[in-house]
Amino acid sequence: MAGGSIPSTPLLKDELDIVIPTIRNLDFLEMWRPFFQQYHLIIVQDGDPSRTIKVPEGFDYELYNRNDINRILGPKASCISFKDSACRCFGYMVSKKKYIFTIDDDCFVAKDPSGKEINALEQHIKNLLSPSSPFFFNTLYDPYREGADFVRGYPFSLREGAPTAVSHGLWLNIPDYDAPTQLVKPLERNTRYVDAVLTIPKGTLFPMCGMNLAFNRELIGPAMYFGLMGDGQPIGRYDDMWAGWCTKVICDHLGLGVKTGLPYIWHSKASNPFVNLRKEYNGIYWQEEIIPFFQTAVLPKECTSVQKCYLELSKQVKAKLSKVDPYFDKLADAMVTWIEAWDELNPSGSAAAAVNGSAKK
Amino acid sequence: MSLDIDGSEVDVVIAALHPNLTTFLEEWRPILSRYHLIILKDPDMKEELQIPSGFDHQVYTKVDMEKVAGQTSINFSGHSSRYFGYLISCKKYIISIDDDCLPARDDQGFLVDAVAQHVTNLSTPATPFFFNTLYDPYRKGADFVRGYPFSLRNGVECVMSCGLWLNIADYDAPTQAVKPDERNLRYVDAVLTVPVRSMMPVSGINVAFRRDIVGPAFFPALRLAGEGKCRWETMEDIWCGMCAKLVCDHLGLGVKSGLPYVWRGHGVDGGDALESLKKEWEGVKLMEHVVPFFQSVRLPRTAVTAEDCVIKIAGMVREQLGPLDLVFKHAADAMEAWVKLWKAAAPQSQINS
C-alpha cells in the first residue's frame, strides 16, 4: 500500500550534484539560489574554453571546459560532443554523487497555479525517492504522492513498484517542440499545469528532454550518454532523445522505473526554428528507423548491469543502424568509448554494481 | 468545450442501484437533458424508480432483460445491469456513469461536461505506440513534443475513454479501510493515451466507449461470489476492462484516461469497508492470477473484430484460468454468451476497424 505523506523531503545535499551545460552565462542561477545554493554544481562549459564563465557568488562548484575534458579523458574525449549541450554528460561521468539533476541555463523557476514558486529540485527528489509503477498503469497517476493511492483492481503483488531511476520534468511557457512544429506554431505557449507525476509503462518509449531532468546515477548513470552531436556531426538536438531511448530500454530490462510530469520549470528561450531545422533534419528521418530499432531491442538475460546492457546496445546499433547512415557506426564506437571512460573514472563500487531490483522506499 | 456534439449519436447509460434518481438527475440536468438516457433498474430492486420529468429516457427492468436475453449465463444484477443498456443501444457512443456520481467542477470552478469531454476523447486520435510527455497532443494548446516520430503522429482511433473521480476515489476495500477520510482533491488537467501492452484497471464508474467498435468487449462476465452493490465489492468492470484493453491493443485501437472527472460521493455507502473487505478479498486474490494471464495472451491475426477477440479470450480463460477458480469458468461462459447476444440483438455492430 502506498505510504502516508512524507513530512519533509530530505535535501540530499551531499548526495546530489547539479549539472549545468553552458556556453553563455549563468545568470539564471540567481533565481534558483534559494533552491540550489546548498548543492554542489558541476558546470560543463561548452564552446570556446578561453572564455570565462562567471559563476554567481556563493555557489560551490567545479567547472570544466573543453581543455579540461581533453585533459581528463585523453583520446576518449572524442565521445564528448562539442558545441552542443550534449557535452553535459561529461558532468555525469565526473560526478561522485548518487543523484544528478540537470537543467538548462534558460530555465527559470515556475509558479504553480496558486502562485507559489516551484522547488523543482525538491519534486525531483520526491520522485526519485519513491517507487515507480511500470508494470501496471495506475489511473490516479503516482500512487505514492500524498493524497493518492493505487486504485481498485491494481494487483497487490505489484504495489511495491520498482526503484525509480529517472525523473523527467516538464516546462511551462516555451514547450519543447521540434523545428517543424515551432515553425507552424511560433506563438504557442504551454500554459497548462498538469498536477501529475506518472510512471511511463514498461515497454513504452518516450522523448526524454534534458532540460529539466534528474536521475539516480548509481542505478542508471552509464546509460545517460548524450551521444555525438554538434560540431562535425550530422545531427543535433537528438542528444537527450538518444539517451532517453537507451535509458528506457535498459530500465525496462533491469526492472527500473521512469517517471514524468512534475516538476515544471519556466522555459524562457525559444531557439531559432530555422537553425533547429538544420540540426534536426537528419534526425527527423533517422528516427523513423531508430524508433523501431529501440522498440524491438532485446537485451539478453546475461546483461545484469547498466554497462553490460549499454555495451550490448552499442553492438546492436552497429549491427542494425549502420546501414541507415555511417554516423551510427561512429556513434556505436562512441558508446563503447563512453563506457570505458565511465568505468575508468568510476572504478567498480556502487556505480557499476548489478541492480537487484529491490524497491527503495 | 467548443466541440459540437451530435446528441443523436450518444446514449447515456445509467444503472439505477438506488430507487430515487431525483438528486442525481437534477444535478446532471444541465448536461444530460439533451441526451437520450438508458436507465437500467437493478433486477434485485423492489422499489419503483423515481425519475424527474424532462428527460428523454427509457427504463429497462428485469422483465426486459429476460425477454431479450432469455436463458443466459449472464447475470445482469447490480452494477452489471448497465451492460444490458449497452446491448440494446444503437448509438455510436455510450457514456456510462454510476448513479452515485454528480457533475464535478474543474479547477476554475466550472461545471465539467463529462459527456462532451468523453465524446471529444473518443473523436480525437489516441497515441498508444509512443508516449507524448505533454499528454494528449490533440488538445488545444498542446502538441507532439520534440523527438516524437512523425510517422506516428496520425494516431489511431480512440475507442475507450476512462474518466476519473473527485472526492471519493475508486479505491478497493483494503485501501478504503486504511484511509477512510482520504478524499481525492487533485484535479489533474490531462487526458492521455494508455500505451499499448500496458495493463490498466478500467473503472466502470465513469467510462465511455465506441459501441460500434468495441461494444462486444464490454461484457458482464466476472462475478465475485460475494459481489455486492458497493463498487469495492465488484470486479466486473476491472475484468471487462482488462479484456477490452487487450482487444484494443490487438486491433490497433486507442484507450484514453484522465478527464473528465465526476464528483463521487452522493449516495456512496459510507459503508463498512472492513465488511466489504471480507467479500472483496476474493477479488484481490483473483487479480493475482489474472495478471500473468493477461501478460501472456496473444491473439491470432485472424481475429479482426472485437467479437472474434472476445471469443478467443474466452477460450483461453476457460483453458488457463478455469482450473484455478470456478469464477473464471463462469466468466468464459458469460463472455461467449455475450457475443451471441450481441450478434443477435445488434447485427449492425459488426464493423471492422
Side-chain angles (χ1 to χ4, degrees), chain A residues 137 146 148-149 152-153 155-157 159 176-178 185 192 195 203-205 207 237 240-241 288 295, chain B residues 129 131 140 142-143 146 150-151 153 170-172 179 186 188-189 195 199 201 231 234 237 287-288 291:
Chain A
F137 187 81
E146 207 183 307
D149 213 309
R152 177 175 55 98
F156 273 79
S157 59
R159 295 190 189 197
D176 188 24
Y177 288 161
D178 52 48
K185 295 178 163 189
R192 188 176 288 128
D195 190 1
T204 302
L205 292 175
R237 282 171 57 87
D240 42 6
M241 298 299 137
E288 298 299 330
Q295 281 173 330
Chain B
F129 303 115
F131 190 85
K140 190 157 179 277
D143 212 307
R146 174 176 59 96
F150 278 79
S151 60
R153 295 192 189 198
D170 190 14
Y171 289 154
D172 50 42
K179 296 177 162 187
R186 188 175 287 134
V188 178
D189 189 6
M199 292 180 288
R231 263 300 176 194
T234 67
D237 50 351
M287 276 306 289
E288 300 303 327
V291 170

Side-chain angles (χ1 to χ4, degrees), chain B residues 199-244:
Chain B
M199 292 180 288
M200 65 177 296
V202 174
S203 167
I205 295 174
N206 169 19
V207 70
F209 59 95
R210 282 285 299 273
R211 193 193 155 280
D212 55 335
I213 299 179
V214 286
F218 271 77
F219 45 70
L222 193 89
R223 193 168 197 93
L224 298 180
E227 178 165 310
K229 308 298 181 193
C230 271
R231 263 300 176 194
W232 61 54
E233 293 168 342
T234 67
M235 288 296 250
E236 45 87 7
D237 50 351
I238 305 298
W239 173 258
C240 135
M242 289 187 72
C243 293

